Amino acid sequence: MGEMSSFQMGVVGALFLSVASSVSIVICNKALMSNLGFPFATTLTSWHLIVTFCTLHVAQRLNLFVSKSIDMKTVMLFGILNGVSIGFLNLSLGFNSIGFYQMTKLAIIPFTVLLETIFLKKQFSQKIKLSLFLLLVGVGIASITDLQLNLVGSILSLLAILTTCVGQILTNTIQKKLNVSSTQLLYQSAPFQAAILFVSGPVVDQLLTKQSVFAHKYSPVVLAFIVTSCLIAVSVNFSTFLVIGKTSPVTYQVLGHLKTCLVLGFGYTLLHDPFTGRNIIGILVAVFGMGLYSYFCAEENKKKHSGDLPLSSQVNQEEENHEPTKSSKESNM
């Protein structure tokens, strides 16, 4: 019971850290890109990962965690895949309307469920599927405004969905199969993610914005926001691996849509973004779907653990039954 409660506390802590850091970085980046005119999202992400790796390297040197060697080929492919998925997501946003990009993000959950069902033989109950459906409908109502299709954008969105799903499934699978912590995996893979984005970032950003990151004028305010964004990103990257490792890729995506609802709310209250009755209805439906998902997951976990209890109680009962028999034999002798 003690181990179970400590595990649950760890999950709650990871979820809270992920939500708090992600909402913070979205608000910071929105101010940086919209208000201060710094549109280089892919390059900024590479800086995030470089700072994350440097921070973890210092932490490892201070013996705050123990580095664990992982097969170089596995880490390299995993890091490159995650870096490529970020690039595809940014390209998808650049070549599609905001509405179609939101549809792309929504499609990650059903695709993840499909891939885990086919390749990992994981079972999702009808209740879980219903709660996920309500969540997706709610987020769709709240965030999707227009849908404009084009061939290039559709292909990029499909590649973004595929690489993101596989990357997040691998994040969970590698941690469990190789018995490595989220910190150890992030420490090993961050250099490869950073490298692929550091090289491709300026090219992708030039393609999307028609501006060069090298020619941009970096005022003290812009530099301050970039540094702040990079520091928050350490927490974002760490909590991402932590949540996926402790829960599942689907739960992480559900959490991501909670962040979307919170960002919409904060955007209205702090940044005075337009907010309509449709946004409110969508957020309420999404939150209801998240509540059902959490409840059904907790219910299924309880059934799973209670299903294990009779076996142990039977063993204990058998041991208790054997003890009197043994003592009675000794008394007869």
Side-chain angles (χ1 to χ4, degrees):
M1 288 293 289
E3 289 181 3
M4 188 62 192
S5 61
S6 63
F7 175 78
Q8 289 174 342
M9 286 296 292
V11 171
V12 171
L15 295 175
F16 177 79
L17 179 63
S18 180
V19 171
S21 57
S22 295
V23 172
S24 299
I25 202 169
V26 167
I27 293 171
C28 178
N29 287 350
K30 187 166 185 178
L32 178 62
M33 294 177 186
S34 301
N35 300 340
L36 299 175
F38 185 86
F40 310 108
T42 310
T43 303
L44 181 62
T45 305
S46 72
W47 296 346
H48 288 169
L49 287 161
I50 291 169
V51 173
T52 298
F53 172 73
C54 291
T55 304
L56 289 176
H57 186 67
V58 171
Q60 192 264 335
R61 287 290 184 182
L62 294 174
N63 295 320
L64 296 178
F65 76 94
V66 178
S67 177
K68 186 174 182 178
S69 60
I70 307 173
D71 176 60
M72 182 59 69
K73 185 179 179 182
T74 300
V75 173
M76 187 182 296
L77 291 175
F78 172 73
I80 292 173
L81 177 66
N82 277 329
V84 168
S85 73
I86 294 169
F88 277 137
L89 281 170
N90 287 338
L91 286 170
S92 173
L93 177 58
F95 280 86
N96 291 304
S97 64
I98 297 295
F100 194 81
Y101 175 71
Q102 288 296 338
M103 281 293 293
T104 299
K105 290 174 69 177
L106 290 177
I108 291 173
I109 283 184
F111 264 82
T112 302
V113 169
L114 180 66
L115 290 175
E116 288 195 310
T117 302
I118 294 173
F119 295 104
L120 300 181
K121 309 302 179 185
K122 189 173 180 179
Q123 298 297 318
F124 294 88
S125 67
Q126 293 300 322
K127 292 179 179 179
I128 294 291
K129 290 176 183 177
L130 173 63
S131 63
L132 290 174
F133 175 74
L134 287 173
L135 164 68
L136 296 177
V137 168
V139 175
I141 293 172
S143 61
I144 295 175
T145 53
D146 61 322
L147 284 175
Q148 298 174 10
L149 304 179
N150 66 79
L151 180 61
V152 175
S154 299
I155 292 172
L156 288 170
S157 290
L158 184 60
L159 291 171
I161 292 167
L162 185 61
T163 52
T164 301
C165 290
V166 174
Q168 291 181 357
I169 290 171
L170 285 176
T171 301
N172 179 271
T173 305
I174 290 173
Q175 289 186 55
K176 291 181 176 176
K177 289 286 179 69
L178 300 183
N179 194 28
V180 295
S181 69
S182 55
T183 311
Q184 290 167 335
L185 181 58
L186 180 58
Y187 178 62
Q188 295 285 341
S189 62
F192 299 104
Q193 293 183 60
I196 191 74
L197 290 174
F198 189 75
V199 172
S200 63
V203 178
V204 172
D205 290 333
Q206 176 89 41
L207 184 65
L208 296 176
T209 66
K210 311 302 180 187
Q211 300 177 50
S212 172
V213 67
F214 303 109
H216 189 79
K217 293 181 179 179
Y218 292 88
S219 67
V221 178
V222 169
L223 288 173
F225 269 85
I226 289 173
V227 171
T228 303
S229 178
C230 289
L231 292 175
I232 299 173
V234 176
S235 178
V236 173
N237 291 325
F238 172 72
S239 62
T240 296
F241 278 61
L242 190 62
V243 169
I244 295 175
K246 283 186 172 292
T247 57
S248 69
V250 173
T251 298
Y252 176 73
Q253 284 300 322
V254 170
L255 191 68
H257 293 305
L258 170 61
K259 298 170 195 172
T260 300
C261 294
L262 289 174
V263 167
L264 287 172
F266 279 117
Y268 172 71
T269 54
L270 298 179
L271 305 175
H272 306 292
D273 289 343
F275 210 63
T276 64
R278 174 179 169 174
N279 295 130
I280 296 171
I281 292 170
I283 288 173
L284 290 176
V285 173
V287 169
F288 180 66
M290 289 175 212
L292 285 179
Y293 177 79
S294 301
Y295 174 76
F296 291 143
C297 282
E299 194 179 54
E300 289 185 5
N301 284 334
K302 282 182 182 177
K303 285 181 181 178
K304 186 178 178 182
H305 288 297
S306 63
D308 294 337
L309 284 177
L311 182 63
S312 59
S313 61
Q314 283 175 9
V315 172
N316 291 333
Q317 193 173 8
E318 284 178 8
E319 289 177 354
E320 289 173 2
N321 290 337
H322 280 306
E323 283 179 3
T325 308
K326 185 178 178 182
S327 59
S328 62
K329 282 181 181 180
E330 288 176 353
S331 63
N332 289 334
M333 286 179 69

